Amino acid sequence: MPTFDTLIRGGTVATASDTFACDIGICDGRIVALGQDLGAADTVIDATGKLVLPGGIDSHVHLSQPSGEGIVMADNFASGTRSAAIGGNTTVLPFCLQEKGQSLREALKRYHALAEGECYVDVSFHLIIADPSEQVLGQELPALVADGYTSFKVFMTYEGLALSDREMLEVMDTARETGALVMVHAENYDAIRFLTDRLERAGKTAPHFHGRSRPIPVEREATHRAISLAELVDVPVMIVHVSNREALEEIRRAQQKGLKVYGETCPQYLVLTERDLEGLNMEGAKYVCSPPPRDKASQEACWEGLQQGVFSVFSSDHCPFRYDDPQGKLAPKGRTSFRWVPNGIPGVATRLPILFSEGVVKGRIDLNRFVALTATNHARTYGLYPRKGTIAVGSDADIVLWDPERTVTITHDLLQDGSDYTPYQGLEVTGWPVLTMVRGRVVAQEGELVGEKGYGTYLTREKSPLARSSGPSASAFTA
Ligand code: URP
Ligand code: ZN
Ligand code: ZN
């Protein structure tokens, strides 16, 4: 009689804390045994020469998100989670966008309908709060946090999304009272509008002026303000997609003061620069994202943030638009000014190889920090741990077999997303996922999708242990 459904044998397991030779016994989608000579199984996977890692968790992706009139995001739940699986991810956390005047429940109903039956890996949603009315903050949000929607993002920029400082405070206060975690997109909207108007008046409308419209002080100021607002309300915050040293130093200073401020950075801030936006004609549009990629010194700062723990999560901010498409980067209005080029770039499949190659292989971070930054810390931060994000008895068998020796030149055809390009075309990486397993089932192997659409399930999350619920505000700053 076989003991296990599946046995992964002969590999080197790495978690956020340890690396060890060990076999893994799996039953009913869960890890049930770790050890040597575990016995028989229906299926044996030979992991000799491979690293056996917790499946990647990407806690910052955008799928099927409404993106403005005439613009269509390149990935829906099927193509986005397919590409995630190919890239070694087993869970992704996309954003459910509340539009102005819309209730959060309506937004969620629509978004769940889009995901239902479509996913190849597991998913769970963050909310985006764009209309923090009294009804939303007083009634809907507390109920939704109790239902497992335990994190939400607020924007300090973008038409239709940017919140005033007062609104930010109200949202943060609700987060504090309910024990939810607030994610902040920190860029100063007025400063961007002012700079954009000036650039356009000077005829500077090509894609690379996008970077000039959102220079580092725009991000630094908003980061400082977001942290100050969170301090006033006494609530933990995650500053997402940090691109440079000055914003990093704001976060570090807050952490040193003992504030619960966390940071995230992304592959584009490690391997792209503003020079990439200078492509001929409209090619630079392929790299338009916000905050924009900066310079080599900013890349070094982001590495420092990852090495020193100022940044605890490394996410893709996968926000794909097709390039050669009137509903994508080359939307008719986008050709007239960078202002109208949809912001965001694809990256869910390339996140792990880029960090492994540039980080672990080049000696900037060790393997255990790689696991923490790509899986474990995401699960811990967003209320999925220990079900997800680690290799331990009782955890879901969400596992990636990783070939640390394989060298691959990234080309778009490898990635199986819905876009028509990758900003990392031609980048050579060492280290590549060769098998992705979600809850005991292989969903991708050797670059082929073998999973079933609809197998990926929706995950209801616990509250983040980083957030805390302590009722009415107890901050020294509030009455
Ligand atoms: O340019 C970006 N990052 N677009 C995605 C939306 C966001 O702000 O995360
Ligand atoms: Zn953002
Ligand atoms: Zn994003």
Side-chain angles (χ1 to χ4, degrees):
M1 269 296 274
T3 320
F4 304 109
D5 298 339
T6 305
L7 191 62
I8 300 178
R9 195 152 58 193
T12 300
V13 173
T15 67
S17 54
D18 300 296
T19 306
F20 48 96
C22 170
D23 299 346
I24 300 177
I26 297 165
C27 276
D28 298 327
R30 297 215 169 180
I31 297 170
V32 294
L34 296 172
Q36 307 286 354
D37 304 322
L38 289 177
D42 289 334
T43 304
V44 175
I45 296 174
D46 180 13
T48 308
K50 305 290 185 298
L51 296 172
V52 182
L53 311 175
I57 301 176
D58 194 338
S59 60
H60 188 153
V61 307
H62 303 264
L63 303 175
S64 287
Q65 189 172 303
S67 304
E69 215 186 310
I71 311 285
V72 178
M73 194 160 269
D75 275 319
N76 54 25
F77 280 88
S79 62
T81 58
R82 176 180 71 205
S83 186
I86 294 292
N89 299 282
T90 51
T91 299
V92 297
L93 276 67
F95 291 87
C96 170
L97 170 73
Q98 176 202 27
E99 297 189 76
K100 285 266 191 252
Q102 194 183 32
S103 77
L104 294 172
R105 291 265 182 212
E106 272 175 72
L108 277 167
K109 197 169 158 205
R110 174 194 164 274
Y111 212 51
H112 273 291
L114 290 170
E116 184 65 34
E118 294 291 307
C119 298
Y120 290 94
V121 304
D122 289 350
V123 299
S124 188
F125 305 158
H126 307 289
L127 298 165
I128 291 176
I129 311 295
D131 196 352
S133 64
E134 261 183 56
Q135 159 74 11
V136 164
L137 296 186
Q139 317 259 323
E140 275 207 293
L141 206 43
L144 289 172
V145 174
D147 283 353
Y149 301 95
T150 53
S151 50
F152 30 88
K153 184 175 177 190
V154 291
F155 284 79
M156 299 171 82
T157 185
Y158 290 133
E159 189 69 40
L161 287 178
L163 301 188
S164 68
D165 290 355
R166 171 66 190 252
E167 289 173 323
M168 294 259 297
L169 285 163
E170 301 285 5
V171 173
M172 286 176 172
D173 204 35
T174 304
R176 182 185 183 284
E177 287 188 7
T178 56
L181 186 65
V182 182
M183 308 161 79
V184 183
H185 179 127
E187 288 185 297
N188 181 315
Y189 187 34
D190 277 334
I192 292 166
R193 285 190 290 189
F194 168 78
L195 293 168
T196 300
D197 288 346
R198 283 224 316 213
L199 287 161
E200 283 185 346
R201 278 206 298 273
K204 296 178 175 176
T205 56
H208 73 267
F209 290 109
H210 172 75
R212 294 265 295 276
S213 73
R214 316 171 96 98
I216 287 171
V218 163
E219 186 182 342
R220 181 197 65 218
E221 184 280 330
T223 303
H224 180 89
R225 182 156 40 99
I227 291 170
S228 303
L229 298 178
E231 183 180 4
L232 289 173
V233 177
D234 187 22
V235 72
V237 280
M238 169 69 72
I239 309 294
V240 294
H241 45 50
V242 179
S243 73
N244 70 89
R245 179 170 300 282
E246 295 187 28
L248 169 129
E249 293 301 349
E250 295 289 343
I251 297 168
R252 194 205 307 270
R253 188 161 47 244
Q255 291 172 345
Q256 285 170 347
K257 274 173 74 174
L259 299 176
K260 292 198 167 188
V261 175
Y262 305 92
E264 171 200 81
T265 193
C266 315
Q268 49 270 39
Y269 307 119
L270 301 183
V271 298
L272 301 179
T273 70
E274 58 197 341
R275 301 293 303 272
D276 288 300
L277 278 82
E278 289 174 6
L280 281 181
N281 302 318
M282 288 296 290
E283 287 278 327
K286 290 180 177 175
Y287 304 89
V288 166
C289 60
S290 295
R294 310 285 184 188
D295 56 12
K296 292 277 176 205
S298 296
Q299 292 180 349
E300 284 314 309
C302 289
W303 279 114
E304 202 179 295
L306 293 172
Q307 288 159 340
Q308 298 175 356
V310 179
F311 301 144
S312 46
V313 285
F314 183 74
S315 311
S316 68
D317 193 6
H318 178 79
C319 184
F321 299 96
R322 290 173 61 80
Y323 172 65
D324 195 6
D325 190 321
Q327 293 184 315
K329 292 286 190 181
L330 298 188
K333 267 170 113 183
R335 290 174 183 271
T336 64
S337 167
F338 65 84
R339 182 200 290 263
W340 305 111
V341 174
N343 282 206
I345 60 177
V348 73
T350 43
R351 174 183 73 121
L352 298 177
I354 289 174
L355 189 67
F356 188 88
S357 187
E358 293 291 319
V360 180
V361 175
K362 295 193 177 171
R364 290 171 164 129
I365 57 171
D366 68 20
L367 180 60
N368 308 106
R369 190 172 289 267
F370 171 81
V371 172
L373 287 166
T374 55
T376 315
N377 291 355
H378 298 255
R380 283 189 202 279
T381 301
Y382 295 109
L384 288 169
Y385 188 85
R387 177 178 175 191
K388 303 288 190 186
T390 192
I391 292 179
V393 171
S395 295
D396 281 358
D398 288 358
I399 290 169
V400 59
L401 259 55
W402 191 269
D403 185 343
E405 311 271 314
R406 189 173 302 188
T407 295
V408 173
T409 301
I410 293 176
T411 52
H412 179 250
D413 59 298
L414 297 175
L415 309 177
Q416 298 196 34
D417 62 15
S419 193
D420 58 352
Y421 78 100
T422 167
Y424 308 108
Q425 183 81 16
L427 181 70
E428 191 180 276
V429 288
T430 297
W432 197 256
V434 292
L435 182 148
T436 309
M437 173 184 280
V438 177
R439 286 177 280 106
R441 271 208 229 165
V442 179
V443 296
Q445 191 162 12
E446 288 294 349
E448 297 291 330
L449 188 74
V450 295
E452 227 173 87
K453 193 179 352 180
Y455 175 66
T457 192
Y458 186 82
L459 303 169
T460 299
R461 287 179 289 123
E462 302 290 321
K463 288 179 183 174
S464 168
L466 309 184
R468 57 184 186 276
S469 182
S470 47
S473 184
S475 162
F477 297 103
T478 48

